[in-house]
Amino acid sequence: MNVNEIFLSTLKKYNMIQKGDKIIAGVSGGPDSVCLLHLLVTLQGELNIYVYAAHLDHMIRGDESGQDAEFVEKLCKSWNIELFTERLDVPSYASAKGLSMEDAARRVRYDFFKRVRSEIKADKIATGHNRDDHEETILMNILRGSGLEGLLGIEPVRDFYIRPLIEIPREEIEEYLNQNNIPFRIDSTNLTTDYFRNSIRLELMPLIEQKYCPHLGKSLRRLSEIARRDLSFIKEEAQKASRDVLDFEPFCVIINIGKFLNLHEAIKYYVARFAIEKIAGDTKDFEEKHTALLVKFIEESETGKIIDLPKGIIGIKEYGRFVLYADGKDTDVPDYIYELSVPGKVAIAESGVTIEADIIPPDPNFNMPIDPNTAYLDFDKVGNCNLIARNRRAGDKFKPLGADGFKKIKEFFIDEKIPRRKRNKIPIVESCGNIIWVAGMRIDDRFKLDDRTKKVLRLRIINEGNFDILDR
């Protein structure tokens, strides 16, 4: 098949586009992206699509970068294609972020593509990755030890990105351009081995083909297909396991440690990655080594230990559970304090609950219903002070019902196995400077009902559906 036929076959095989799609072609000026744009422009009537181009001047190669931008602008003008351009100092960005030039350019380029897509409400972004790029990526990932996912190489379709040239060799792309007298630019940095990919392309792959494996590209593609098949099965099994092992709350994912430890080692890794993806939106830059570190931490760390992970994710080992959340979310509860009238009620936004107070007559038999979200106290013992609802403070202590002596709130929470991330949310009700109730848990023994009680102070969490202290 010729280039046109392979191009159309690839679009159909991977269902890359639909009629009426707006397609943005990322155009650097090099042979791959120019070929991509030409094919899209030539076939846009047949495909019933709308084609746009986007070019980023990354300022890496001085005057050459500017000349690339001018070339792309003239090319798009001659082909009557609307072009979106931007100029960003990638070398400075790479230095500021501590990234390699390759990584920095990739991040900046894809951020630019996303902005253009949002601006014109495009359906797809097409990039010029070809079959050689796919093979090189697989070998690079093998050398990096990236695991099964790395063996997939460059995926033909990922989210709204499509790679219509992914099954066309670089040599045939250049031949297509020459036969059609289509100009293109050569990136001088592609000819140096200073960059990892270039070194793989110019040095390692030719050596392997010459001395060890003449059909290296074909072997790498076959390896990719095998990995894709096997990975599909593993992910399917991991998805099933995740439904049993993972629970989701706002801003966090909870891993049931007991169930997690019983999983096969391979499934553990993908369950952990599913959890990361739920928090961060994707697992990009969350490498195999990070996954291994997370799994080991879940298996071996002590209760209460915390781990900092890439993508701004924090992990806390709790009692039988491991909690993942985005840094600054879920656990960052500020100090709060509210007045609670009797009778009356107060909504505590920080905890997501409302506490109601009222006076009821005592039951002669003291048969008050047992409910952790309701407290019954001797009103006269509580004292004639305004009630305060707040969260814990350093040094807080009270005398838990049935205890012989006082206990610090911190120690009480530890004994009751309250996860650290929830401790600041729990309302504490006090009167005259004394804690009378740790909401949803225990009253202070000094204020319990007895046979001399004349008035009962009833405190209730009236929307306990949002209050999950006991769900530990």
Side-chain angles (χ1 to χ4, degrees), residues 44-64:
Q44 65 178 330
E46 178 181 340
L47 297 171
N48 192 15
I49 58 174
Y50 303 92
V51 180
Y52 304 81
H55 174 81
L56 177 69
D57 180 355
H58 44 54
M59 302 172 63
I60 293 176
R61 304 185 340 271
D63 291 341
E64 280 189 43

Side-chain angles (χ1 to χ4, degrees), residues 139-151:
L139 185 55
M140 289 168 62
N141 289 340
I142 290 173
L143 298 178
R144 288 169 170 160
S146 59
L148 276 180
E149 288 185 319
L151 297 182

Side-chain angles (χ1 to χ4, degrees), residues 169-342:
R170 183 178 293 120
E171 183 179 3
E172 293 184 18
I173 288 172
E174 294 182 0
E175 184 179 340
Y176 171 87
L177 295 173
N178 291 328
Q179 288 177 347
N180 289 279
N181 296 314
I182 301 170
F184 57 86
R185 296 275 297 172
I186 295 296
D187 185 341
S188 62
T189 61
N190 287 337
L191 306 178
T192 175
T193 57
D194 292 343
Y195 298 106
F196 183 41
R197 179 179 289 276
N198 290 354
S199 179
I200 294 292
R201 175 190 304 144
L202 300 174
E203 296 178 329
L204 182 58
M205 293 187 75
L207 175 64
I208 295 175
E209 289 171 341
Q210 180 183 349
K211 296 191 67 174
Y212 306 103
C213 181
H215 307 292
L216 176 61
K218 186 175 181 180
S219 297
L220 289 170
R221 294 196 305 274
R222 184 170 63 249
L223 176 63
S224 176
E225 287 306 309
I226 294 170
R228 187 180 305 279
R229 179 195 66 201
D230 293 354
L231 187 58
S232 175
F233 172 75
I234 293 173
K235 284 190 172 183
E236 186 176 313
E237 293 301 304
Q239 287 280 12
K240 294 177 185 176
S242 294
R243 289 193 284 270
D244 188 44
V245 174
L246 303 182
D247 286 313
F248 305 104
E249 291 184 2
F251 307 117
C252 72
V253 176
I254 300 167
I255 300 173
N256 183 306
I257 294 176
K259 293 179 179 179
F260 182 83
L261 295 179
N262 288 327
L263 297 176
H264 186 282
E265 202 69 19
I267 301 300
K268 285 180 185 176
Y269 274 59
Y270 286 95
V271 169
R273 292 183 72 80
F274 287 151
I276 293 295
E277 185 175 17
K278 183 69 176 179
I279 295 293
D282 59 55
T283 53
K284 185 186 295 183
D285 301 323
F286 196 86
E287 300 175 11
E288 180 76 9
K289 64 182 180 181
H290 302 133
T291 307
L293 180 65
L294 173 57
V295 171
K296 184 177 181 181
F297 194 87
I298 295 171
E299 291 175 333
E300 300 179 4
S301 64
E302 297 177 357
T303 299
K305 294 295 184 180
I306 298 175
I307 184 173
D308 290 313
L309 296 163
K311 304 177 80 67
I313 293 174
I314 303 295
I316 301 178
K317 186 143 185 196
E318 297 181 352
Y319 304 96
R321 314 194 314 174
F322 190 87
V323 182
L324 289 165
Y325 63 94
D327 192 13
K329 298 285 188 179
D330 192 52
T331 59
D332 187 16
V333 180
D335 288 346
Y336 60 81
I337 184 168
Y338 296 86
E339 284 193 12
L340 175 58
S341 301
V342 182

Side-chain angles (χ1 to χ4, degrees), residues 359-364 366 368 377-381 447-457:
I359 304 296
I360 63 174
D363 185 322
F366 303 104
M368 298 299 184
L377 305 109
D378 189 311
F379 182 71
D380 293 322
K381 293 179 183 177
F447 308 101
K448 65 184 178 183
L449 306 179
D450 57 34
D451 56 4
R452 292 171 297 190
T453 299
K454 296 179 181 178
K455 294 181 182 178
V456 175
L457 170 63

Side-chain angles (χ1 to χ4, degrees), residues 319 407 410-418:
Y319 304 96
K407 178 174 285 190
K410 178 180 179 180
E411 295 174 355
F412 175 72
F413 283 162
I414 292 173
D415 291 345
E416 293 294 312
K417 295 182 170 54
I418 300 299

